[in-house]
């Protein structure tokens, strides 16, 4: 178990990344069903990132393979795992200071890249980061670009025919972890998440973390140690997996494939799980 080291000052959860064979595979869900607006995108080495933004400013980054002859890491990921969550990105004010905090916390950053002063980054391998890739990045000026010509313009319509429903807000990334203490060591102890709520239900415990931005991280851990628990069976022998995204939406009963959130009483959110939408 990693030791809790110095907290990274000023770290913030910036976005969640979703690997897809093509951007267009996710566009109907994010743009048409949920009303996300295009934020930025373009080609890269081995992948092309494309970000969409929701009503509250939270963003999802879609990653599709590109220039795989130079770097095929994303193509290999999709072959092994299929479309789905790829990483969580935390922006930090000082990458070198963040790396020191990670090392002091018992983590071994990999993929350290400082060649572009506008985007310097490093990663924590999922074997250390509770089953999900964690990216820490020091960024320069915000990046924006026009939407692709084929980015959808149509939107889900209100039941009464009066026009499109308002865009959704992405509020939580729900991340199941084998051990809440291990998850907290990274996301609270090193990455500086603030615990704003916690509790337990019949088969799991949960902790809500925020970094003061529009999107928070909900850590969940199965209580039942046997495979009889559905959440335990879903997790299997992994240290963790991203389970679903939770969004606040208008007229959720008209959103195909959505599941109303009953896990947290009083929540007006909708869970979107499975397939290419996490």
């Amino acid at each position: 178990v990693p030791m809790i080291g110095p907290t990274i000052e000023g770290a913030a959860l910036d976005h969640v990344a979703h690997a897809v064979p093509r951007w267009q595979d996710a566009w109907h869900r994010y743009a048409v069903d949920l009303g996300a607006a295009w934020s930025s995108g373009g080609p890269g080495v081995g992948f092309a990132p494309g970000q969409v933004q929701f009503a509250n400013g939270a963003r999802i980054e879609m990653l599709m393979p590109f220039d795989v002859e130079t770097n095929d890491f994303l193509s290999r990921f999709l072959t092994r795992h299929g479309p789905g969550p790829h990483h969580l990105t935390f922006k930090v004010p000082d990458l070198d200071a963040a790396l020191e905090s990670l090392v002091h916390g018992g983590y071994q950053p990999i993929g350290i890249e400082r060649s572009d002063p506008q985007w310097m980054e490093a990663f924590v391998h999922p074997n250390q980061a509770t089953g999900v890739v964690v990216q820490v990045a020091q960024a320069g000026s915000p990046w924006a670009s026009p939407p692709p010509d084929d980015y959808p313009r149509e939107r889900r319509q209100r039941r009464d025919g009066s026009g499109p429903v308002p865009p959704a807000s992405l509020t939580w990334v729900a991340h199941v972890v084998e051990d809440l203490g291990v998850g907290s060591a990274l996301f609270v102890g090193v990455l500086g998440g603030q615990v704003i709520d916690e509790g337990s239900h019949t088969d799991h415990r949960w902790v809500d973390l925020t970094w003061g931005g529009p999107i928070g991280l909900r850590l969940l851990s199965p209580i039942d140690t046997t495979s009889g628990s559905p959440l335990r069976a879903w997790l299997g022998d992994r240290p963790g997996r991203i389970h679903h995204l939770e969004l606040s939406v208008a007229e959720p009963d008209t959103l195909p494939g959505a599941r109303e959130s009953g896990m947290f009483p009083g929540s007006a959110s909708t869970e979107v799980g499975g397939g290419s939408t996490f």
Side-chain angles (χ1 to χ4, degrees), residues 176-180 199-206 220-233 235:
V176 177
V177 295
E178 168 68 24
D179 188 316
L180 272 181
S200 63
H201 288 275
T202 53
D203 68 342
H204 67 274
R205 294 180 296 146
W206 55 273
L220 306 100
S221 182
I223 294 175
D224 190 350
T225 58
T226 71
S227 59
S229 161
L231 196 62
R232 170 69 61 183
L235 183 60

Side-chain angles (χ1 to χ4, degrees), residues 107-200:
Y107 303 90
Q108 299 301 318
I110 59 176
I112 300 170
E113 180 58 65
R114 299 185 179 91
S115 61
D116 180 1
Q118 290 298 308
W119 184 268
M120 298 187 291
E121 65 183 11
F123 299 87
V124 181
H125 192 279
N127 288 344
Q128 289 194 317
T130 61
V132 62
V133 176
V134 168
Q135 179 187 48
V136 291
Q138 179 182 338
S141 55
W143 182 32
S145 67
D149 292 341
D150 54 344
Y151 190 73
R153 292 178 173 83
E154 66 270 24
R155 296 292 183 265
R156 183 165 58 100
Q157 297 294 303
R158 292 182 182 273
R159 279 188 301 268
D160 63 8
S162 62
V165 298
S169 290
L170 171 59
T171 52
W172 296 101
V173 177
H175 178 34
V176 177
V177 295
E178 168 68 24
D179 188 316
L180 272 181
V182 174
S184 294
L186 174 60
F187 295 108
V188 178
V190 178
L191 289 167
Q194 179 185 356
V195 177
I196 59 170
D197 204 0
E198 58 187 311
S200 63

